[in-house]
Amino acid sequence: MAPSDDYAPSNCFGNFFSFKKKKQSARRSVAARTEQSVPSYYPAASEKLPAYEECVSKAFEQLDVKRDSEVEHIVAKAIDDVSDELRTISLDLHDHMETGMKEFHAHKVLTDYLESKGFTVTRHAYGMETAFTAEYSNGSGRRVGLCSEYDGLPGLGQACGHNLIAISGVAAAIGVKAVLESGKASGKVILFGTPAEELSIGKIVLVNKRAIQDNVDVCLMLHPAAYHAERGAMIAIHDVRLEFFGKASHASAAPWEGVNALDAMVQVWNSISMMRQQLLPTDRVHGIVTDGGKAPNVIPDYTSAFFFVRTTKFDQIGRLMHKMEECFKAAALATGCEVKWTWREIGVTKDVVPNAPMADVYREYMEREGGIQFPTAVEQASTGGGSTDFGNISYEVPSLHPMFGIHTTAANHTIDFVAAARTVQAHKDTILSAKGLTVTASQVLLDDNLFQAVKKDFEHTVKA
């Protein structure tokens, strides 16, 4: 998809909903005295409404990817042989959920297991205590990257099924390793253990440290959901923390002596509500008040809030940032408060750009071997609303992030999805999808024409 085009649909699946249900840097200003500064970004001059079909690569139209039944057999056997072991790991991670950057148990379980399977493991990778890499190579050739996630959500547990994502990455790594060991292909497979996806941190750190760009030619991973989508839509997200500073006074005896920071926050809330009329249908702004004052008989001298802004493409985020900041400054001016806002230092979590040739290989396998019925590309493009730090990887190398159904109608980030992620059926769904992803990755190693199409699609959708 060209960067100027939209496709509709933090943190992973904030405001995510079930497709099946549908189908079936800190700044501070004194308001009254500070001259408005020119923002460092500008709103887009014009933007298109979602048109996913425009972004499908022409490179794949003439491509004939040959099935290799021997490779598919190698993959299936390798993954089936460890399925029971992966089920044990999945239940362990589900029962011992850990939040982002604190996944010490998961880190040990996964790294010990991968090491026992013959991978070269690097623990505490790239300066993150709970990140890791597991590598296997056999000769020169292309390099395939895979990702596992394993953090959960506080108060819920594995409500996004990261226990399944963890084992799907391990399964795919074992499957690709078996293909390399067989001599059918040469090259390298690297599994990245990526912590804190729910905080949109781990993969952004990897990208910022060039762990992806310098080590792999493509990158793939899976994500469970209530539906199947080989091109699951994930949108861009940024967040901002807002503070107003006023002056306290007695709310009844001398309210005129105060400067009401809560009035400023209410003004922002109303401004954002009215602003939504002029936003694109695919834009999202949502947040919470984190401090609204301390006592009803005191004029609040301090309030704070936390907002998310989302757009279908990351290069549109600046447009919403500008609008939000204008709301902040206007509220400060109207109330006489001082205002401070801080955008997330690590930067924007980008949208996921799916690689069409790899997506088609994955889809063909899942339709043939699993009898899966996929929504159309247009339907997939208009579904979603969640975000993932895998998006930042997809802007660096050709990437694929399919959604796979686990026989539930529950939306991600719900208590019902926690239960669904633990079932035997969900495990079977994960194993099938991991085989599909592994076959796709193996074809990238084996098929020169496919790899050229993958690169051409990436140039067309990301680099153009």
Side-chain angles (χ1 to χ4, degrees), residues 140-450:
S140 61
R142 290 184 276 272
R143 305 161 301 170
V144 168
L146 302 162
C147 290
S148 283
E149 299 168 359
Y150 30 88
D151 61 323
L153 287 158
L156 279 175
Q158 291 292 1
C160 224
H162 288 192
N163 57 306
L164 303 178
I165 297 176
I167 65 165
S168 71
V170 173
I174 289 172
V176 175
K177 178 174 178 285
V179 173
L180 292 170
E181 288 175 325
S182 74
K184 291 286 293 184
S186 60
K188 176 185 283 190
V189 59
I190 306 178
L191 175 63
F192 295 94
T194 61
E197 190 280 335
E198 297 294 355
L199 301 175
S200 289
I201 293 177
K203 298 180 194 66
I204 298 179
V205 172
L206 293 180
V207 167
N208 290 346
K209 295 192 174 186
R210 298 194 60 83
I212 304 298
Q213 305 93 304
D214 292 344
N215 292 291
V216 299
D217 299 304
V218 298
C219 198
L220 308 88
M221 67 169 290
L222 290 165
H223 203 298
Y227 61 92
H228 290 272
E230 82 279 11
R231 292 173 172 87
M234 294 286 157
I235 63 178
I237 186 172
H238 206 2
D239 63 59
V240 61
R241 295 188 180 273
L242 173 66
E243 299 172 281
F244 285 108
F245 304 88
K247 179 183 177 183
S249 68
H250 196 290
S252 178
W256 52 86
E257 297 289 341
V259 178
N260 197 321
L262 184 57
D263 282 348
M265 189 62 70
V266 171
Q267 182 70 45
V268 163
W269 219 265
N270 289 334
S271 295
I272 291 172
S273 294
M274 289 184 284
M275 178 184 74
R276 288 192 178 99
Q277 297 178 75
Q278 276 68 54
L279 298 182
L280 292 174
T282 51
D283 291 340
R284 297 290 183 268
V285 179
H286 43 98
I288 58 170
V289 174
T290 53
D291 190 335
K294 299 299 188 290
N297 59 345
V298 178
I299 297 294
D301 63 348
Y302 175 81
T303 56
S304 62
F306 185 35
F307 292 98
F308 285 173
V309 297
R310 303 183 195 242
T311 57
T312 57
K313 302 297 291 181
F314 93 94
D315 58 3
Q316 301 167 14
I317 286 283
R319 171 173 52 82
L320 287 194
M321 291 172 68
H322 176 68
K323 289 178 179 289
M324 292 288 284
E325 292 183 4
E326 293 301 296
C327 291
F328 301 161
K329 290 185 283 187
L333 181 65
T335 59
C337 291
E338 294 184 357
V339 61
K340 175 183 177 181
W341 61 84
T342 306
W343 293 97
R344 195 168 80 123
E345 185 177 359
I346 201 170
V348 178
T349 300
K350 298 180 181 180
D351 53 291
V352 173
V353 183
N355 185 269
M358 289 197 294
D360 286 347
V361 174
Y362 174 83
R363 176 175 181 147
E364 189 278 331
Y365 179 90
M366 295 294 286
E367 289 176 336
R368 171 168 45 86
E369 296 297 325
I372 305 300
Q373 293 185 336
F374 287 87
T376 66
V378 174
E379 289 172 329
Q380 292 182 45
S382 62
T383 304
S387 306
T388 172
D389 54 6
F390 188 79
N392 294 60
I393 289 178
S394 76
Y395 273 82
E396 301 299 333
V397 297
S399 299
L400 188 63
H401 185 278
M403 315 300 294
F404 67 96
I406 58 170
H407 286 78
T408 183
T409 58
N412 296 73
H413 287 204
T414 64
I415 194 65
D416 289 338
F417 201 89
V418 175
R422 202 183 191 282
T423 63
V424 172
Q425 184 59 58
H427 179 75
K428 292 178 180 179
D429 295 329
T430 304
I431 294 300
L432 170 65
S433 301
K435 291 175 183 176
L437 199 77
T438 309
V439 167
T440 305
S442 299
Q443 288 284 15
V444 171
L445 294 175
L446 289 162
D447 193 321
D448 291 338
N449 290 334
L450 173 61

Side-chain angles (χ1 to χ4, degrees), residues 12-121:
C12 178
F13 280 82
N15 288 349
F16 196 78
F17 55 89
S18 165
F19 177 82
K20 284 190 175 181
K21 290 182 179 179
K22 181 178 179 183
K23 185 175 181 182
Q24 307 173 252
S25 338
R27 297 182 178 186
R28 187 173 182 127
S29 65
V30 180
R33 299 186 293 276
T34 302
E35 184 176 355
Q36 292 187 5
S37 59
V38 178
S40 59
Y41 45 77
Y42 300 90
S46 64
E47 297 176 63
K48 299 178 182 178
L49 289 174
Y52 188 93
E53 289 172 315
E54 295 177 10
C55 80
V56 177
S57 173
K58 294 181 180 179
F60 197 73
E61 293 177 1
Q62 304 299 321
L63 188 64
D64 181 21
V65 178
K66 303 295 184 183
R67 278 188 59 199
D68 190 320
S69 58
E70 184 180 354
V71 165
E72 292 187 4
H73 175 75
I74 292 169
V75 167
K77 184 179 187 308
I79 294 177
D80 285 339
D81 284 348
V82 297
S83 178
D84 290 345
E85 297 171 355
L86 295 179
R87 172 68 171 159
T88 300
I89 292 173
S90 175
L91 293 177
D92 187 358
L93 300 188
H94 192 282
D95 293 343
H96 300 91
M97 187 278 294
E98 299 162 299
T99 55
M101 293 300 183
K102 299 176 182 178
E103 312 98 324
F104 302 109
H105 176 71
H107 178 273
K108 177 173 174 52
V109 168
L110 293 168
T111 55
D112 287 353
Y113 181 75
L114 287 159
E115 203 164 53
S116 76
K117 295 300 179 183
F119 289 88
T120 300
V121 174

